[in-house]
Amino acid sequence: MSTELEVLVSNLYVVGGRAVKAAPPGALVQQAPRRSPRVRANDRFVALLDITERARLPVRAPASLYEEMVRLAADTYFQSSGTMTSGLREAIDAVNEALMAHHREIGTVHQAHIICAAVRNGEVYLARAGACQAFLQQSGQIICFPDSPAELESTPLGLRTAPPVALNRYTVAPGDILVLADKPVATLPAARRDAALAAADAAAVVEALKPLAGSAAAALVVQLVTPEAHAAVAAHATEAAAPARTPRAARARVDAAGEKLSARVARVDLGAGLRRVGSVLALAVARLAALFNRLFDVFFPEPTEFDEDAGARIPTSLAAGLTVLIASIVTVGVVGLMLRNYGRDRCDDFVRLYENEAVQARELVGHDREEAREAWVAVKARAAQAIEVCPPTDPRPLQALNEARGFIDEYDQVVRPRPSVTLLRRYPAIDDNLPVLYGPLLHAPDIYVLDTANVALYRDQLNENGFQLVKTDSKPVLKKGDTVSGFVIERLVDMTWMSEGPVSNMLVSLEPTRGVLIAYSPALPPQALSLVGWEAWETPVAIATWGGNFYILDSGADQVWRYRITAGGEYSDPPERYFTTLATTPDLASAIDFDIDDQGYVYVLFAGGEVVKYYGGEPVEDFGLATLPVPLHDVRAMHIDSSPFAQSLYLVDTGGESIFETTLRGNFTYHFKAANEEAFQDLHGLAIKPSTDDLYVAANDGLYHFKKAGTQP
């Protein structure tokens, strides 16, 4: 017997490290509209959408685009008449098509990550695309969709036609809690995240997640209840008085004028403002028309039967046309003046608001470090809002933004390279599919970048100084569909340089669908080496070489496979297990990258930013990241520089738009951010030129360079 279910909703929305009471802009819960097909009459549609802009300028996707896209998903679902699964797929396809049309129309590329659910009676159907995850709590047990963090790196919407959509279905009951989460929540340390998700109700789940959320996070928490329980909660909410809010001590000093200004800005509604302007304009046009009509009656009266001998007069139709023309000209002037004043007023409102916030932030400097940092984060957010509404010639918002950023950088121990991070080149879309970059890999003077979305390997050449490209190849040197030694390339996983082995002094990349090692050198034809025992692989995610041996990090098998080089210089034997006993085999389900230093220590990076160091298959206790000045947000790659004067480990934090450098024991050294912040948007990886300060970064759709020696606090 099916169970009719209602939903109780709580929201997690963290911006700048502070929890906001409002719902995330891409969150939506909707019941079936009245005119929906009968098959949708009892459905509840739940969705969480995250949109990031792949642009050269650091412009955040507007909230209106979030709302437009998530509404489109809901409308498409409720207008469909097939199965729940097909309806969810149609909803996601509609958002993808709309984003690609948006790109073609305005030239700005937005990529979206969406997870949505349809609830009907005792079932919930889930669909997802991009980096997002759902969690279902049933009697304290947590079910994850997808199961593996490695699956979070699926293709987002807006980049290609027919993106992959993952689907699932679960049986649910009253009391179950469904959480739709963005990537920052999904990649939290699993133990702490699951403990928070096991809280008693939706509101408790949100409260438990807040301390873990870092600087930015969003989640939609839905508790499934019976209609009677839903009605009881609604009645209680109606009767309950709104609780008084006790401000923090620092915020208590905000004067009454600041509070009134905040309320005024909060009530600013562009649509309402334009409607008021429209009503005034309509009245102005009517009055102007009446005025000019009276003037024409005075100066050009209609001829009468007594005026037959009068001279030629202006025709009536021409007089009417002139009346409308003059009224329109005056109206345009009035419109321009009113809109100019309206925009200026909004700009001044935001400026006064962040100035009030800045006064309080300055008072906290030198006292409570954490509270002062939060205050400057708020100033930075207000200044960013002001930049959106103020004219470009107004210097005040940018000055405030730079002041806030300076204080935040000091608290976070940030250094920004000077001169700025420079762009070396951009990589093209292929068949309208935008690139998703991996690497770079440096073997001077050549530098390689792998586009994993389009399965294309690019090679360029650096000049002698290493800060410019002297040769750029617009076409990839290897791509999907190429045949190498009889093997057709379908996928490429990771890349590394093989100094010794069966294909020495060549770049190698793994083709996991055939168990083949693809080798490339500009001096030789590409080669393919078939690896024995590849049937044991499950989910290869990264590769490395050391001492002539070849290593594969396999998150699905909880193993690092080692191919030992034989006396004949071949990989002719089946792979060995690096972790040899069940007691020492770690859980590698969330492992995303690894590297090996010159001493043979293996470093494994997990989603969420944890790094574990191993030697001989055993964990090493002399490593930890406790000295980092700020939490990691969304680490996607790591790199080890084992050169004699470096001995450093680098972590690429995409969520924080940062690169962290530590020692090989994990002690903090540097926290890099780009002065031109667009350069570190959507970070993918980095490479270091040995024995120099030259760093190369793959970010967004480009390759960038900067020098550590030029960094400044």
Side-chain angles (χ1 to χ4, degrees), residues 588-603:
L588 299 179
S590 60
I592 57 175
D593 199 3
F594 83 134
D595 207 343
I596 306 174
D597 69 16
D598 60 343
Q599 301 299 312
Y601 288 94
V602 175
Y603 301 75

Side-chain angles (χ1 to χ4, degrees), residues 541-542 552-555 558-560 578-579 586-597 601-615 617-620 623 625 635 637-640 649 651:
V541 295
I552 301 173
L553 174 63
D554 187 342
S555 63
D558 290 335
Q559 193 56 253
V560 172
Y578 181 74
F579 302 106
D587 180 359
L588 299 179
S590 60
I592 57 175
D593 199 3
F594 83 134
D595 207 343
I596 306 174
D597 69 16
Y601 288 94
V602 175
Y603 301 75
V604 178
L605 172 65
F606 294 83
E610 181 185 10
V611 178
V612 181
K613 183 177 179 181
Y614 299 93
Y615 189 78
E618 300 287 341
V620 177
F623 184 87
L625 298 174
V635 180
M638 66 182 299
H639 180 85
I640 289 177
L649 180 145
L651 297 171

Side-chain angles (χ1 to χ4, degrees), residues 496-500 544-551 562-565 571 595-602 615 642:
T496 190
W497 191 262
M498 184 169 285
S499 299
E500 52 181 317
T545 61
W546 187 82
N549 299 329
F550 180 66
Y551 297 78
R562 175 171 52 203
Y563 283 87
R564 286 192 181 273
I565 189 168
Y571 296 143
D595 207 343
I596 306 174
D597 69 16
D598 60 343
Q599 301 299 312
Y601 288 94
V602 175
Y615 189 78
S642 292

Side-chain angles (χ1 to χ4, degrees), residues 26-92:
L28 178 69
V29 178
Q30 184 174 326
Q31 64 182 11
R34 290 184 178 180
R35 296 186 178 181
S36 299
R38 183 176 299 177
V39 70
R40 298 278 180 259
N42 296 323
D43 292 2
R44 300 290 186 273
F45 180 82
V46 185
L48 181 69
L49 176 75
D50 182 31
I51 303 178
T52 55
E53 183 172 326
R54 296 189 62 172
R56 300 188 182 187
L57 297 176
V59 180
R60 187 179 178 183
S64 58
L65 185 61
Y66 279 81
E67 182 176 350
E68 178 185 351
M69 292 297 109
V70 77
R71 290 282 180 191
L72 173 63
D75 291 345
T76 303
Y77 176 77
F78 283 117
Q79 290 168 9
S80 65
S81 56
T83 64
M84 298 171 74
T85 298
S86 65
L88 291 172
R89 186 184 293 276
E90 289 178 27
I92 291 179

Side-chain angles (χ1 to χ4, degrees), residues 295-311:
L295 290 175
F296 272 97
D297 284 344
V298 171
F299 293 102
F300 304 102
E302 289 287 334
T304 67
E305 57 182 340
F306 303 104
D307 295 334
E308 294 179 359
D309 296 331

Side-chain angles (χ1 to χ4, degrees), residues 16 32 42 68 85 156 175 187 193 199 213 221 258 265 295 347 354 387 397 409 418 426 466 504 509 549 557 586 658:
N42 296 323
E68 178 185 351
T85 298
T187 55
R193 180 200 65 206
V221 184
V265 174
L295 290 175
C347 174
Y354 75 63
I387 288 176
D409 282 358
R418 299 288 192 275
R426 295 192 180 277
S504 58
S509 183
N549 299 329
S658 301

